[in-house]
Amino acid sequence: MTGRFARLLGLAAVLLATVACQTGPAQAAPVWEPSSQSAATRHDVVTWGASADQMGQGTADRGYRLVVHTSAAGSGLRVRLSNAFGDRPLTLDSVYAGLQSQGAALKPGSNKRLTFDGARTVTVPAGATAWSDPLPGSLPAGSNLVVSLHSPDAAGPATGHWMAMQTSYATQGDHTAEESAANWTETTGSWWYLDSVSVRPKDPDTGAVVALGDSITDGWASTSDQNRRWPDYLARRLQKADTEVKGVADEGISGNQVLADGAGQAALKRLDRDVLSQPGVRAVFLFEGVNDIKAHTGVTAADLIAGYQEVVRRAHAAGKCVVASTVGPFEGWSEWDPAGEAVRQQVNQYIRTSGEFDGIADFDRILRSPYDQARMLPFLDGGDHIHPNDKGMQAMADSVDLASLDCGR
């Protein structure tokens, strides 16, 4: 049975179970494009995501206006709020979604209140997440979506994503309903309490890929506010390609490791929350390991390979494809040494030849200098010899075999 045929059978079952309660098309709101299909004929797919991590302390009566860039188009937008690292319940009494005009200003008529089980207020338990209700109307691919939220009593450890490579905005008091930028005078380089956005694509076979990685995937050394991380370039390729995979979630954390906690929880520990729980995921793109190698903690190639194998086992058990990339060159970075380079070469040989993955992307081959294969090609180097620049990010995305992102599991 092909993956597409299995999905069609599943869709038929959903239709039979829900046909009695179908409703007519949702009414369009200003600026949002009108929706033309009922909820029963579509499924949710992640259109944006960012890994949850522990931030600083939450602040009462604080508002955030968070700018995110979507990938897949669709209707029925939903957002996921996260209190994964909180030590007490988090109450959000006002959450809106709109479209960016410029800076903190929104396109007129686009800012719409989100509800949670029909209520305007949601309380997210410590360690939990909460999805909003679907918002009527459709969202185009590649939109700058703005999620504005306010908490009257936030305190204790906050949850968010600290290195957004995107300017968002903050204020004191509840100004979430305002489309003007007048009261949003503070800026923040982080995303607070928001970790996922989903839509319901017109094509019910549409799926998504989630990139699991470290600072290279997170976009460090790419141009801020321009969406030039390699997953962004991949998303733009997918929108133009004849493929069912359209959604992209960037689940990179700067400094992250596969095996050990440190900069964020280890990839193995956050795999379920950040990756497998995302709606509509067809493939996991695994590009991580350089921080394990350069940390000089004694991690061997066998250790890292065992970590990769666990990702594959768990993702396959969840019915997801796994595409893995080789670890890129980093000679010239302060932590590089010959012993670590030997581990990198062994790991890359395994990735290329083991046959355990559903697809391979050879970012090492794309990024390395032909004259010194332990070093990055200067033309693609962001300046620190480990993080690619915008051109390097695009070269990586351009090298991905799009067909490998849908293995039919």
Side-chain angles (χ1 to χ4, degrees):
M1 180 183 294
T2 66
R4 183 182 179 94
F5 184 59
R7 291 192 293 274
L8 288 173
L9 287 179
L11 176 61
V14 171
L15 287 171
L16 288 173
T18 58
V19 67
C21 60
Q22 286 188 13
T23 60
Q27 295 299 310
V31 177
W32 296 91
E33 296 176 357
S35 175
S36 60
Q37 287 186 309
S38 70
T41 62
R42 297 186 306 275
H43 68 289
D44 286 354
V45 169
V46 61
T47 188
W48 173 87
S51 302
D53 199 2
Q54 182 169 326
M55 306 279 281
Q57 295 292 298
T59 304
D61 196 26
R62 189 74 166 157
Y64 295 100
R65 176 154 281 181
L66 309 171
V67 181
V68 304
H69 194 67
T70 65
S71 52
S75 61
L77 175 143
R78 303 171 73 205
V79 307
R80 188 171 76 177
L81 305 177
S82 179
N83 192 24
F85 293 89
D87 62 2
R88 68 201 72 190
L90 168 70
T91 296
L92 296 160
D93 60 0
S94 188
V95 183
Y96 278 75
L99 297 175
Q100 186 181 35
S101 174
Q102 185 175 7
L106 306 183
K107 292 184 178 180
S110 71
N111 201 30
K112 303 299 176 184
R113 183 185 288 275
L114 290 164
T115 60
F116 300 80
D117 290 330
R120 294 185 172 189
T121 296
V122 61
T123 298
V124 188
T129 60
W131 281 101
S132 72
D133 301 323
L135 188 68
S138 294
L139 183 69
S143 297
N144 277 352
L145 178 73
V146 181
V147 178
S148 303
L149 52 86
H150 173 263
S151 175
D153 56 1
T159 298
H161 188 88
W162 74 269
M163 195 182 82
M165 304 299 295
Q166 173 68 55
T167 302
S168 291
Y169 303 89
T171 187
Q172 205 63 19
D174 184 4
H175 301 282
T176 53
E178 300 168 7
E179 294 180 332
S180 165
N183 287 305
W184 297 92
T185 56
E186 301 176 49
T187 61
T188 175
S190 302
W191 290 306
W192 296 79
Y193 303 116
L194 176 71
D195 79 340
S196 186
V197 178
S198 73
V199 292
R200 292 171 180 166
K202 181 180 294 186
D203 183 349
D205 289 320
T206 301
V209 56
V210 179
L212 178 62
D214 48 41
S215 57
I216 300 176
T217 297
D218 214 7
W220 184 249
S222 68
T223 304
S224 294
D225 296 326
Q226 296 299 311
N227 303 302
R228 294 179 180 174
R229 313 163 191 84
W230 74 260
D232 295 319
Y233 283 109
L234 178 62
R236 288 189 277 273
R237 279 191 69 202
L238 289 169
Q239 294 311 312
K240 299 176 182 179
D242 183 17
T243 175
E244 293 177 354
V245 176
K246 299 295 183 182
V248 178
D250 185 338
E251 302 293 330
I253 296 180
S254 181
N256 199 232
Q257 299 180 45
V258 175
L259 304 175
D261 293 346
Q265 292 178 327
L268 293 178
K269 189 176 292 184
R270 65 188 183 91
L271 178 65
D272 289 342
R273 181 191 66 237
D274 288 351
V275 180
L276 300 182
S277 72
Q278 298 288 359
V281 175
R282 198 73 54 80
V284 179
F285 195 111
L286 176 62
F287 176 43
E288 193 157 0
V290 68
N291 290 317
D292 298 76
I293 294 169
K294 70 181 182 60
H296 303 302
T297 59
V299 169
T300 65
D303 294 331
L304 201 46
I305 289 168
Y308 292 159
Q309 290 171 331
E310 183 177 340
V311 171
V312 172
R313 176 183 59 79
R314 289 164 59 187
H316 282 175
K320 317 301 182 187
C321 309
V322 181
V323 177
S325 172
T326 49
V327 180
F330 68 102
E331 185 178 357
W333 177 263
S334 61
E335 295 169 293
W336 183 91
D337 64 12
E341 178 64 18
V343 172
R344 187 179 77 90
Q345 294 292 347
Q346 294 170 44
V347 167
N348 284 351
Q349 179 68 8
Y350 156 79
I351 292 172
R352 293 184 179 112
T353 64
S354 69
E356 294 189 25
F357 302 101
D358 301 295
I360 299 298
D362 201 341
F363 288 170
D364 171 50
R365 182 181 62 82
I366 295 299
L367 294 172
R368 72 193 183 198
S369 168
Y371 309 107
D372 183 351
Q373 296 192 1
R375 285 184 176 270
M376 193 181 302
L377 188 67
F379 179 69
L380 304 179
D381 193 339
D384 61 11
H385 312 301
I386 192 170
H387 297 99
N389 58 21
D390 292 352
K391 294 182 178 64
M393 295 285 184
Q394 183 169 12
M396 292 160 63
D398 286 348
S399 74
V400 175
D401 176 10
L402 301 185
S404 70
L405 303 179
D406 191 358
C407 65
R409 286 188 174 272

